[in-house]
Amino acid sequence: MMVPDIRWTMGLSLLVLLGIVGSSSGVTIMSIDFGSEWIKVAVVAPGVPMEIVLNKESKRKTPGALSFRNGERTLGEDALTTGIRFPANNYFYLLDLLGKKIDNPIVELYKKRFPYYNIEADPERGTVVFRHIDDTTYTVEELIAQMLAYAKDMAMSHTEQRIKDCVITVPPFFNQAERRAMLTAAELAGLKVLSLMSTNAAVALNYGMFRRKEVNATAQNILFYDMGASSTTATIVSYQTVKTKDRGYTETNPQVTVLGLGYDRTLGGLEFQMRLRDYLANKFNEVKKTSNNVLESPRALAKLMKEAGRLKKVLSANTEHLSQIEGLLDEEDFRLHVNREQFEGLCTELFDRVQAPVDAALISAAMDISAIDQFIIVGGATRIPKVQSILLGVWGRELGKNINADEAAAMGAVYRAADLGQGFKVKKFHVKEAVVFPIEVDFERQVESDDGSTSTKVVKRSLFAFGNNYPQKKVMTFNKHTADFNFYVNYGDLSHLSKEELKYAHAENISRVQVSGVTSAFQKHQQEGSEPKGIKAHFNMDDSGVLTLSMMEAVFEKSVLVEEDKPKEEESTLSKLGSTISKLFSEQEREDGEKEENEDAEGKENKTEEDNAEKKEQEGEAKKENKEDKKDDQKTDKKEKEDDEKKSSTDKKKEGEKELKPKQITVKEELNMTITYHDIPDMTEEQVAASKKKLEDINTAERARHEREAARNNLESYILDAQDKLYQEDYEQASTDDQRTAIRELCSTLDEWIYDEGFDVEASVYKEKLKELSKLFEPIKQRVFEHLNRPEAIQALMDMMNKSSEFVQRARVASSEQQFFTDVEIDTMDKLIVDTQKWLEDKEEQQQAQSLSDDPKLKLNDVGEKLGALDREIKYLVNKAKITKAKKDKEAAEAKAKAEKEAKEGSKKKNNTDNSKSAKNKSGGETKSETEEKDKSEKIVTEEEPKIEQNEESSYVFEEESEENNSEEDRRKKDVDIENEEALPRPSWMTPPNPTWSYLSSALVIILIHMLFTHPAGIR
């Protein structure tokens, strides 16, 4: 096998790494708080904290509305605007219809509230379908999918990153069909749902994640009262730290657990708004300004609905307000004073239902109101003063308002998304939600009676009881089934629900499971002598609260013969007892010896010096005793070793003998299962594909419309710009009369064409017209640009030539010691300056000889090339001068260091001479020749030092001026200043390319060349 060249492999790896770095993007996750009236989106991205996404109107929440008009789709605020004029084309409050059949009472209530919709039943699934026009229908899942996709687009626009993973909030009372329908809508929108999360759990998580330090081992019970647009929930949760084991480590983290829940599906801000709408409508009919009934006009009802919503908010802060609507019906205006007392009188029945969810939550949690530590209100409808007054009477203390009523659920859900998604590590905060609708499994069993007859008995087993926390997994075993069978997954005991809620929940059988392959599995394993241990069903209630059956398997036990070594012959009781006693005494002797040694050691530490003689005697006796003990131990060990060898030899003889022993093993065989949903059938693969194609066609048409509008706007803007500039003096000088006339005529023709037959053509047609017009106008525009920027470019080139000439002149007159360049380099630079000067003079003469309306002879690109050539040559010479000067400075420094070293050696010799001189004076004096030689050496040393200083003070010829006593730092600073003076400012038309891309592209080119010319022979 041929091994690739390591250089080629490294080059390929680096190339791949550069590609990954260039194309990598951050991981961004979002949450969608999908409410009945409003949609709130939150995101978390690397380097960006959790935050709410702003829509295109810079608002923090977006209306959950969608409308179609003349083939155009609008969402959010634009959809509401369209809905005022065309109410039947605007779809909102769709969450209430999700996962419900056409005969559900909630659907009937929706029809009553909004009578102008054409609602039908799906022929295959029985769910709600909106008929938009004769041949177009939309299911609730398709409409919600488009809103979810719109939320994703807002998040992507906000973060400028691709997003796919999300957490979506749903009401806590959503049943299995409703939760599955939301997941289907997310699938149609192209979203990967990490988890569905109940709004109450999201609010509780948002409250707790900023109060981690307050959570401890003592449970804190908090009641969250959430009154939203269409429903009301009261949730009791408990905050407490729990210990969990993850990857072998035990951690203590806070956990929020749902203890109790009470809710009202139809009590919300929408119901208050409907009461106001009907009140205003009746008052308008009483005035009898027109013979038509306002309740029969969809457009008038839409206007009344909008005014009722505004009036509800105003009366929450004011005691009275003037309601007015212009052109309500038949061009008749409407005005009416409404006060808060009238509003509360209209909603007396609704206010009576405010306390019921609190009572239901306390009952389900088996708690009293006194056990609640805090009572916190959430949701927009809780701002109604009467609602707060009722809750204050229930609680008896001040209500908690220390949480954002609108954004708490979105922020809690995005924290959960960051915890579940990849790319983020957040502090753990466990969430345990509660089952609202208990689930049980029903199956039939054949029972024999006393008379020998058989009958069928329906057996019910509870799977998830009311209040059980999830996520959770459970395994159910069917012990009596030996053939293929069926069982049903149904809702359990719902006695805790009211009669109205039982109608709304529509709690039917969830699914039917057909288990096949049981008969063949039993026949197969019974022939092998296996014993059946039942059929196991693995259920999972996941984070989304959706029940799934992950696997069915048949379990058997059978006995198999396994080869095992024969056990060793058992010793007799007496021999076992003797060996035990001998081991006991030998171990006791060793322990006593160790104790004696320890006591001797302690004694040695505590003895004083006066007892040394006695200590030595004791040590000698101890050594003798230890020697005797060691001899005895050696004899005992030797004997035991011989016995062991005898036994081992005997065992080796018997080692080859083995015997077969029976062993029980567990055998599992997976069974086939078919799940049929009875509550709401899931969309088939064909239906999902058809819905995706329908939504993709809408998206394609919308993208084409946006492209068409952008192209039309570009053409209109270009026409207006051209018409305006042709009257400016610069453009008149740069063009002829014929050119301006042709452009104006074409602009006038295109302007009329756009607002006539060209208003709704394809984007390619607009682009072609723009190309035709720009072909005439762009040359004039370019000439104006050249004329306006030419003086600046010429001045920059002349400054560069002057600086370059000054540089060459200083280089020529430099001393021999500071001559860094060769004659060829200086002559080349001088020739380049002369040629550039001559070229500039010729081009200026040619430019002055022609008219401004002609194409310029002296172009900015040519000036830029000349500037670049001069700049390259100057930089080369400057860099060479710096390198050469640095090299000479280094040599001078080394020479100075050498001189200093020699001076030190000379002074050392002088000291030695002085010492010898003093010694000679003592012995008879110093000779005259030695004294003269010493003076001469001192003179040489003192004359060398100033020479070195003089060389160091000499000025550098390429500096502007010299200063005395310049330090190395000052010289470096001056070199930088010279560079800055020589580097001329670049005009806008000489902007260099992005350096990052230059380096990256250069690296890629080098790597590719390296790989092409150095790859091993075996790789082609």
Side-chain angles (χ1 to χ4, degrees):
M1 177 174 154
M2 185 173 294
V3 179
D5 187 3
I6 187 65
R7 294 176 300 170
W8 195 87
T9 305
M10 291 176 63
L12 182 60
S13 302
L14 183 57
L15 183 63
V16 173
L17 179 62
L18 287 173
I20 292 174
V21 171
S23 63
S24 63
S25 60
V27 179
T28 305
I29 299 177
M30 71 173 181
S31 69
I32 304 175
D33 179 19
F34 196 92
S36 297
E37 184 179 9
W38 300 99
I39 299 175
K40 280 84 69 177
V41 182
V43 294
V44 56
V48 179
M50 296 181 296
E51 61 181 4
I52 295 293
V53 172
L54 303 181
N55 58 20
K56 64 180 182 179
E57 291 87 11
S58 297
K59 295 182 179 180
R60 301 175 70 87
K61 59 182 182 179
T62 304
L66 169 70
S67 67
F68 297 93
R69 174 65 180 167
N70 295 330
E72 296 182 6
R73 180 185 64 181
T74 55
L75 297 104
E77 296 285 352
D78 296 338
L80 288 182
T81 303
T82 304
I84 298 298
R85 299 180 58 197
F86 309 98
N89 295 346
N90 180 45
Y91 305 99
F92 58 168
Y93 292 101
L94 298 174
L95 190 65
D96 300 335
L97 303 179
L98 186 64
K100 294 181 178 62
K101 290 187 176 181
I102 193 69
D103 58 349
N104 192 294
I106 293 291
V107 179
E108 296 297 327
L109 179 62
Y110 189 89
K111 291 180 179 179
K112 181 181 178 182
R113 289 172 173 173
F114 312 107
Y116 38 77
Y117 289 122
N118 187 4
I119 295 178
E120 301 176 357
D122 189 289
E124 298 181 8
R125 302 172 62 217
T127 54
V128 176
V129 173
F130 288 91
R131 180 159 298 276
H132 179 63
I133 51 179
D134 294 339
D135 58 345
T136 305
T137 58
Y138 294 104
T139 64
V140 179
E141 288 88 348
E142 291 171 349
L143 294 174
I144 290 181
Q146 296 178 66
M147 296 184 187
L148 293 176
Y150 181 64
K152 181 181 72 170
D153 293 339
M154 284 194 300
M156 292 173 59
S157 176
H158 183 81
T159 59
E160 298 181 354
Q161 294 185 17
R162 294 184 63 85
I163 302 176
K164 190 175 182 180
D165 298 347
C166 69
V167 169
I168 304 175
T169 65
V170 294
F173 48 78
F174 257 27
N175 58 27
Q176 294 294 309
E178 292 164 329
R179 292 175 185 267
R180 295 199 311 272
M182 178 60 80
L183 293 176
T184 302
E187 180 186 356
L188 296 178
L191 290 173
K192 177 184 176 183
V193 180
L194 301 175
S195 171
L196 295 180
M197 192 174 190
S198 300
T199 52
N200 57 350
V203 170
L205 178 59
N206 174 251
Y207 179 83
M209 68 187 187
F210 296 111
R211 296 168 177 84
R212 291 178 61 93
K213 295 181 180 179
E214 301 176 10
V215 182
N216 49 41
T218 303
Q220 302 178 37
N221 301 322
I222 298 179
L223 191 150
F224 291 96
Y225 190 90
D226 182 4
M227 181 178 285
S230 61
S231 62
T232 300
T233 60
T235 309
I236 299 175
V237 300
S238 172
Y239 292 94
Q240 191 176 11
T241 55
V242 295
K243 290 184 178 181
T244 56
K245 195 171 185 180
D246 185 17
R247 298 179 182 177
Y249 297 95
T250 302
E251 297 180 348
T252 301
N253 292 308
Q255 175 176 292
V256 56
T257 306
V258 177
L259 302 179
L261 175 68
Y263 61 91
D264 189 332
R265 283 179 182 261
T266 60
L267 177 63
L270 175 61
E271 192 63 31
F272 290 96
Q273 188 173 347
M274 297 302 298
R275 299 295 173 94
L276 276 174
R277 186 198 71 172
D278 295 342
Y279 174 75
L280 297 177
N282 292 330
K283 287 295 183 182
F284 180 81
N285 286 334
E286 290 176 3
V287 176
K288 296 188 181 297
K289 289 186 175 182
T290 176
S291 59
N292 295 322
N293 187 353
V294 71
L295 294 174
E296 296 176 357
S297 171
R299 183 174 297 182
L301 280 178
K303 292 180 180 180
L304 288 171
M305 185 71 178
K306 181 180 179 181
E307 178 62 18
R310 188 184 68 86
L311 188 60
K312 180 190 66 174
K313 295 178 182 178
V314 173
L315 291 179
S316 297
N318 301 275
T319 57
E320 62 178 13
H321 185 67
L322 175 62
S323 174
Q324 51 185 355
I325 305 173
E326 295 182 359
L328 176 59
L329 183 64
D330 296 339
E331 303 300 328
E332 294 291 339
D333 298 339
F334 174 65
R335 289 178 178 83
L336 180 68
H337 278 279
V338 182
N339 56 43
R340 186 183 294 174
E341 292 181 359
Q342 293 173 330
F343 170 60
E344 293 176 354
L346 294 171
C347 306
T348 303
E349 179 191 350
L350 301 179
F351 291 129
D352 293 340
R353 296 160 54 186
V354 169
Q355 185 179 345
V358 179
D359 297 336
L362 291 172
I363 293 172
S364 63
M367 297 174 64
D368 187 73
I369 193 69
S370 59
I372 304 299
D373 297 318
Q374 290 189 61
F375 194 114
I376 299 175
I377 58 175
V378 191
T382 57
R383 297 187 177 96
I384 299 175
K386 183 66 174 178
V387 173
Q388 295 186 15
S389 175
I390 296 172
L391 296 177
L392 185 61
V394 175
W395 175 234
R397 284 175 278 173
E398 184 179 358
L399 299 173
K401 302 176 184 178
N402 51 349
I403 194 171
N404 192 316
D406 292 325
E407 302 173 0
M411 296 301 290
V414 77
Y415 189 89
R416 179 69 169 164
D419 186 22
L420 296 175
Q422 298 180 352
F424 298 95
K425 185 176 181 180
V426 298
K427 293 183 178 180
K428 283 289 183 182
F429 205 117
H430 303 288
V431 179
K432 293 291 184 181
E433 299 189 42
V435 174
V436 179
F437 300 99
I439 297 176
E440 65 182 17
V441 173
D442 302 346
F443 59 93
E444 296 179 349
R445 178 187 294 174
Q446 298 294 327
V447 180
E448 292 185 4
S449 59
D450 296 336
D451 56 359
S453 61
T454 59
S455 61
T456 302
K457 178 183 178 182
V458 178
V459 180
K460 296 185 178 181
R461 290 184 183 176
S462 176
L463 190 61
F464 291 96
F466 172 69
N468 283 172
N469 296 124
Y470 65 87
Q472 189 177 167
K473 295 180 179 180
K474 287 190 177 183
V475 179
M476 180 173 288
T477 304
F478 299 90
N479 294 317
K480 302 296 182 180
H481 290 84
T482 59
D484 296 352
F485 67 101
N486 304 329
F487 65 88
Y488 298 87
V489 180
N490 303 326
Y491 291 110
D493 183 16
L494 301 176
S495 59
H496 61 283
L497 301 179
S498 63
K499 292 182 179 180
E500 289 186 356
E501 175 57 24
L502 286 174
K503 296 178 181 178
Y504 293 148
H506 213 62
E508 299 177 344
N509 295 340
I510 299 176
S511 61
R512 177 186 180 218
V513 181
Q514 295 174 292
V515 185
S516 59
V518 180
T519 305
S520 59
F522 269 74
Q523 291 176 354
K524 171 185 174 183
H525 289 281
Q526 282 178 356
Q527 292 175 359
E528 299 175 358
S530 301
E531 181 183 357
K533 291 297 181 181
I535 298 173
K536 295 185 180 297
H538 296 261
F539 293 95
N540 178 29
M541 181 78 76
D542 59 13
D543 292 316
S544 300
V546 177
L547 178 67
T548 56
L549 178 59
S550 57
M551 184 175 60
M552 294 287 300
E553 60 182 5
V555 182
F556 302 90
E557 279 190 0
K558 69 178 181 178
S559 179
V560 297
L561 296 177
V562 181
E563 287 188 353
E564 292 184 356
D565 295 336
K566 281 188 176 182
K568 297 179 181 179
E569 294 182 2
E570 296 184 357
E571 298 177 298
S572 63
T573 306
L574 292 176
S575 62
K576 286 183 179 179
L577 182 61
S579 62
T580 304
I581 293 173
S582 62
K583 290 180 181 178
L584 179 63
F585 278 104
S586 62
E587 291 176 359
Q588 186 65 33
E589 288 175 1
R590 291 192 185 98
E591 291 177 1
D592 294 340
E594 292 176 359
K595 290 181 180 179
E596 288 174 1
E597 290 177 2
N598 292 334
E599 290 174 358
D600 291 341
E602 293 176 0
K604 289 177 184 177
E605 293 177 359
N606 297 328
K607 297 289 184 181
T608 59
E609 294 181 359
E610 297 176 357
D611 301 330
N612 284 339
E614 185 178 347
K615 183 176 74 173
K616 289 181 179 179
E617 292 178 2
Q618 292 177 355
E619 288 177 354
E621 293 176 0
K623 287 180 180 179
K624 289 180 182 179
E625 293 176 0
N626 290 337
K627 287 180 180 179
E628 293 176 359
D629 293 339
K630 287 180 180 177
K631 288 180 181 179
D632 295 338
D633 292 340
Q634 288 176 358
K635 291 179 181 179
T636 305
D637 294 340
K638 187 175 181 182
K639 186 176 181 181
E640 291 178 356
K641 188 176 181 181
E642 291 176 356
D643 295 339
D644 292 339
E645 288 177 355
K646 291 179 181 178
K647 288 181 180 179
S648 63
S649 62
T650 306
D651 293 339
K652 285 180 181 178
K653 293 179 182 178
K654 297 180 179 181
E655 188 175 345
E657 300 179 8
K658 293 186 178 181
E659 65 177 357
L660 296 176
K661 274 192 171 184
K663 185 179 180 180
Q664 296 292 329
I665 63 172
T666 302
V667 180
K668 298 179 180 180
E669 183 167 340
E670 188 170 350
L671 304 175
N672 299 323
M673 59 182 182
T674 303
I675 302 176
T676 305
Y677 288 103
H678 286 179
D679 49 2
I680 299 293
D682 285 348
M683 296 177 67
T684 62
E685 293 183 359
E686 293 77 11
Q687 290 173 333
V688 171
S691 296
K692 286 184 176 181
K693 185 179 183 303
K694 183 190 298 185
L695 299 185
E696 183 59 31
D697 292 342
I698 295 174
N699 294 332
T700 302
E702 187 172 2
R703 285 193 295 268
R705 177 171 61 88
H706 290 164
E707 184 181 2
R708 181 171 63 251
E709 291 175 352
R712 183 171 63 240
N713 292 337
N714 291 337
L715 179 59
E716 289 178 338
S717 300
Y718 198 87
I719 292 172
L720 295 176
D721 183 62
Q723 289 175 338
D724 177 64
K725 286 182 176 178
L726 286 179
Y727 289 100
Q728 297 179 9
E729 183 179 358
D730 293 332
Y731 284 84
E732 288 182 351
Q733 294 176 355
S735 60
T736 62
D737 293 338
D738 294 339
Q739 292 173 343
R740 291 193 297 273
T741 302
I743 294 173
R744 287 182 180 130
E745 290 178 355
L746 182 57
C747 287
S748 179
T749 302
L750 291 177
D751 194 24
E752 294 177 358
W753 172 81
I754 286 178
Y755 295 102
D756 189 7
E757 59 184 15
F759 184 78
D760 201 19
V761 298
E762 297 295 330
S764 58
V765 179
Y766 292 121
K767 293 178 181 178
E768 188 65 30
K769 298 293 183 181
L770 178 61
K771 184 178 179 181
E772 180 182 352
L773 178 59
S774 61
K775 187 177 181 180
L776 298 178
F777 185 65
E778 282 300 320
I780 301 174
K781 196 174 181 180
Q782 182 62 30
R783 287 196 292 270
V784 173
F785 180 78
E786 292 273 350
H787 298 334
L788 293 177
N789 290 279
R790 187 179 299 112
E792 181 184 356
I794 294 174
Q795 185 62 42
L797 181 60
M798 293 177 65
D799 292 342
M800 175 64 80
M801 289 189 295
N802 294 335
K803 288 288 184 180
S804 302
S805 300
E806 183 181 352
F807 181 87
V808 171
Q809 184 179 1
R810 288 161 59 186
R812 290 186 185 278
V813 299
S815 61
S816 59
E817 296 178 355
Q818 297 181 351
Q819 185 56 260
F820 305 133
F821 315 117
T822 63
D823 294 339
V824 175
E825 292 172 340
I826 295 177
D827 293 341
T828 301
M829 185 68 205
D830 195 9
K831 184 175 181 303
L832 179 61
I833 296 172
V834 173
D835 292 345
T836 303
Q837 180 68 34
K838 185 175 183 305
W839 173 86
L840 180 60
E841 292 175 355
D842 294 342
K843 289 294 182 180
E844 284 184 326
E845 183 177 355
Q846 295 176 12
Q847 183 63 40
Q848 291 176 359
Q850 69 176 12
S851 172
L852 293 177
S853 60
D854 298 333
D855 290 337
K857 298 295 183 180
L858 180 57
K859 296 184 178 181
L860 298 179
N861 290 337
D862 299 336
V863 176
E865 291 178 0
K866 297 297 180 181
L867 270 171
L870 289 172
D871 185 59
R872 285 192 299 271
E873 291 296 327
I874 286 293
K875 284 183 178 179
Y876 167 75
L877 297 177
V878 170
N879 290 335
K880 183 179 180 181
K882 287 181 179 180
I883 294 171
T884 308
K885 182 177 181 298
K887 185 177 180 182
K888 290 186 176 182
D889 291 343
K890 183 179 179 181
E891 293 175 355
E894 292 176 352
K896 180 179 178 181
K898 184 178 180 182
E900 290 178 351
K901 183 177 180 182
E902 292 176 354
K904 289 181 181 179
E905 291 177 354
S907 61
K908 186 176 181 181
K909 290 179 181 180
K910 179 181 177 183
N911 293 334
N912 294 335
T913 304
D914 291 340
N915 294 334
S916 62
K917 181 178 179 181
S918 60
K920 288 180 180 181
N921 288 334
K922 291 179 182 179
S923 61
E926 186 180 10
T927 61
K928 183 177 180 181
S929 59
E930 291 175 348
T931 304
E932 291 177 353
E933 185 177 355
K934 185 65 179 176
D935 293 340
K936 186 176 180 181
S937 64
E938 290 178 359
K939 186 176 181 181
I940 291 172
V941 172
T942 55
E943 288 177 357
E944 285 180 355
E945 291 180 355
K947 288 182 180 179
I948 295 173
E949 293 178 359
Q950 185 177 358
N951 289 337
E952 189 174 345
E953 292 175 359
S954 61
S955 62
Y956 175 41
V957 71
F958 296 104
E959 295 177 352
E960 294 293 338
E961 57 183 5
S962 61
E963 296 181 3
E964 296 182 358
N965 299 325
N966 277 350
S967 63
E968 182 66 17
E969 183 178 357
D970 294 333
R971 289 197 300 274
R972 290 178 180 176
K973 185 176 180 182
K974 184 162 292 185
D975 290 342
V976 174
D977 293 338
I978 292 173
E979 268 192 83
N980 293 335
E981 289 178 5
E982 293 178 351
L984 300 176
R986 294 178 180 268
S988 58
W989 44 269
M990 275 194 63
T991 304
N994 187 352
T996 304
W997 170 246
S998 300
Y999 301 151
L1000 182 60
S1001 60
S1002 301
L1004 291 173
V1005 172
I1006 292 171
I1007 293 169
L1008 289 172
I1009 294 174
H1010 179 76
M1011 292 167 59
L1012 289 172
F1013 292 98
T1014 62
H1015 69 277
I1019 299 177
R1020 291 290 183 265

